[in-house]
Amino acid sequence: MLTRKIFGALADGQVHSGEALAEATGVTRSAVWKAISQLREMGLPIEAQTNRGYRLSTPCEPLDEKAIRSDFAKEISNRTQLGIVWEIGSTNAALLESPPPLPDEFAVLMAENQTGGRGRRGRAWQAALGGSLCLSIATSFEPLPRDLPALTLVAGACVREALLECGVRDISLKWPNDVVTLSPSMQLVKLGGILAELRAEASGPALVVVGIGLNLRLGEQTKKSIAESGTLAGDLESLGLDAGKRNRAAAAVIGRVITGLQRFAAQGFAPFIDHWRAADVLRDRPIRVLDGGSEREGVARGIDAQGALQIEDAAGRRSAILAGDVSVRT
Ligand code: BTN
């Protein structure tokens, strides 16, 4: 695909003339120009320099299977199939439709661009081309782990650990599936999200797919378009991640999540609770929970042993929230 080739050529951050790009890809200059506009629409920050050509405002590392695999521990590599595609509807949807891996084996699918990225509760997931990670990890559980509803929380804790290992600071988790930070004005800024989906067969193992979307470096255009959907988004580069090293970040996230899934299958949610509680951005904050038509207000009091959110009402009564959209009341 032409856009993929031009993305690959521009990734080095050097100036490439339209003519050189046309020659390298075997198309006309007007086809190059069209592909450049498409790439810009996909969120790639391409500058045009008069009489010189095109360059990325910052170099970017295309996803690379070998580079990612070389960072995996051997035990992970042996059990994991890894696929990288340029463009797909949704990596989660694709893995949910694929034959399930055996229990304790893993299929990972990553995409540079998703045309139908899925978020939680039917929302769309938007990502910046070259500045994000969009990946899904599939495995089978047999038997189903106890605490299955906590799967999203387990994945969140593992993603956070991987990001800390990559030098990111000040990241927290917002129940149930957001990777966030607090802005100086104490607003919640979303850095990434998790979408865990399940395909259970009448008999036999259940296929689970854990989808992870992370904002490594968001241009103003993508931030604005995410803001239009009502979410304040930020990126991990501003919190210390080397966003030029996408493959390293991908390997760290995949490795941690796979190890976490193995542990979750064997031990349930218990080994992850402390990490989650320490990262819980909602704890002791006034919150509002919307679920379908219902609305509840109270103070968040952390999660219980199954990963449900505890809310305390004005009369001091506590109850568990299993699903819903939570916002902080200001
Ligand atoms: C959310 O915060 O609402 C969850 C976002 C999950 C996005 C990821 S990107 C890779 C995978 N494929 C999808 O279609 N969605 C998940």
Side-chain angles (χ1 to χ4, degrees):
M1 202 181 257
L2 183 59
T3 41
R4 179 179 208 164
K5 286 186 190 159
I6 293 187
F7 171 69
L10 292 176
D12 61 8
Q14 304 297 312
V15 180
H16 297 262
S17 70
E19 204 173 352
L21 289 171
E23 209 173 287
T25 53
V27 298
T28 61
R29 283 183 65 175
S30 97
V32 167
W33 183 82
K34 265 195 204 143
I36 295 274
S37 327
Q38 267 176 283
L39 288 166
R40 282 189 176 134
E41 270 166 35
M42 289 154 84
L44 194 67
I46 305 175
E47 294 170 2
Q49 296 195 346
T50 323
N51 298 328
R52 293 193 65 208
Y54 305 100
R55 73 186 275 269
L56 289 188
S57 34
T58 339
C60 115
E61 196 177 69
L63 297 173
D64 180 87
E65 190 186 327
K66 256 202 198 148
I68 295 174
R69 215 174 248 291
S70 71
D71 271 356
F72 281 167
K74 201 160 168 243
E75 316 84 75
I76 302 280
S77 196
N78 291 341
R79 303 180 173 281
T80 305
Q81 277 184 17
L82 174 62
I84 297 176
V85 294
W86 167 246
E87 189 164 272
I88 199 163
S90 149
T91 53
N92 261 36
L95 286 184
L96 278 168
E97 284 154 17
S98 304
L102 295 171
D104 206 25
E105 295 198 359
F106 303 88
V108 179
L109 182 59
M110 308 186 66
E112 288 288 10
N113 184 42
Q114 293 188 118
T115 51
R118 309 209 289 220
R120 207 170 141 259
R121 298 175 81 80
R123 297 197 185 96
W125 180 253
Q126 299 186 56
L129 181 65
S132 62
L133 287 180
C134 296
L135 65 97
S136 300
I137 304 175
T139 190
S140 294
F141 284 141
E142 161 110 275
L144 278 183
R146 47 190 170 115
D147 317 328
L148 188 64
L151 175 61
T152 308
L153 279 69
V154 167
C158 297
V159 167
R160 181 170 177 272
E161 266 184 358
L163 294 172
L164 293 173
E165 179 188 310
C166 292
V168 181
R169 32 170 216 276
D170 300 332
I171 27 170
S172 304
L173 297 169
K174 172 176 172 269
W175 190 92
N177 72 314
D178 288 355
V179 181
V180 298
T181 194
L182 272 177
S183 74
S185 59
M186 301 300 274
Q187 275 184 296
L188 285 185
V189 181
K190 182 155 171 167
L191 307 163
I194 312 236
L195 177 67
E197 298 186 89
L198 177 77
R199 192 184 83 202
E201 306 294 341
S203 63
L207 166 69
V208 294
V209 175
V210 176
I212 300 162
L214 292 173
N215 306 331
L216 307 191
R217 177 188 290 144
L218 279 188
E220 285 312 311
Q221 180 193 321
T222 316
K223 253 188 220 168
K224 213 172 132 201
S225 128
I226 298 177
E228 278 160 18
S229 71
T231 301
L232 179 61
D235 64 25
L236 292 158
E237 181 173 53
S238 50
L239 297 171
L241 183 82
D242 182 348
K245 301 243 160 56
R246 294 169 77 215
N247 291 302
R248 180 173 166 245
V253 167
I254 295 167
R256 288 279 185 171
V257 173
I258 288 182
T259 312
L261 290 172
Q262 290 174 314
R263 206 157 179 214
F264 182 57
Q267 299 173 48
F269 186 46
F272 302 92
I273 289 186
D274 285 349
H275 179 132
W276 216 96
R277 288 189 170 144
D280 182 356
V281 79
L282 295 176
R283 196 178 179 99
D284 299 331
R285 285 179 197 276
I287 57 166
R288 176 172 300 118
V289 185
L290 299 175
D291 188 13
S294 82
E295 181 176 325
R296 290 167 74 174
E297 287 191 351
V299 175
R301 294 294 186 209
I303 52 166
D304 68 15
Q306 282 72 45
L309 178 67
Q310 301 295 298
I311 187 170
E312 187 176 296
D313 68 16
R317 283 182 304 250
R318 287 191 183 194
S319 53
I321 304 276
L322 302 171
D325 256 336
V326 184
S327 54
V328 175
R329 287 182 288 133
T330 44

